[in-house]
Amino acid sequence: MVLTLALTTDGARVAAQGMKPLLVQIMNTAAEPVPVVSSVDRVLLREQLAPTGICPTATHEVQRVLPDGTFGGSFIVPPGKKLVLTDLEAIIRAQPALAFPLGGVARIDAFTGPTTLSRVISAQGQVNADAVFAGVIPVSEHLQTGGVIGSDLPVCLEEYVLISNGGHAAELQEARLHGYLIDQ
């Protein structure tokens, strides 16, 4: 393909001709495969509102948001696949009748459950005056490479606020996890 561009301004004519096209060659070999993720393999998860017991008590299960906008049941990584989580976005709020402690750190962890409890991705935010006033803290994390969850494992979420003398209760208002499935 050859691209020719001609611009005209106030009677003056500027032309760019003879531009050589850039040739790009993509080689997909066994030694250097080109990574491709189909839209079917992309995964969007959100907190499950009705727990089924696959995650420890006081944590949250997740469910898959399907491409048509509907929701699947509690999500477990399919057999023969691994889930690579790349993004975690959440809104953590103070429990009713409790204010956030100024200077604390709100945190949410995504981990495998129910017994392995291996943290995969975390997001946190500082409890500043704005967070105390609003009663909510938005947090997010993006990983360049992603955290991996193995086959047949659920994804669980836990939120809390860390303060100098321990922890403080918090509630999860909303959470989304982005990732993709790969063969094991």
Side-chain angles (χ1 to χ4, degrees), residues 54-69:
I54 63 171
C55 288
T57 305
T59 64
H60 304 272
E61 299 172 18
V62 296
Q63 61 187 14
R64 187 170 186 178
V65 180
L66 302 172
D68 66 358

Side-chain angles (χ1 to χ4, degrees), residues 165-178:
N165 61 352
H168 184 76
E171 288 186 354
L172 183 62
Q173 181 172 332
E174 180 181 339
R176 287 186 305 255
L177 295 127
H178 301 267

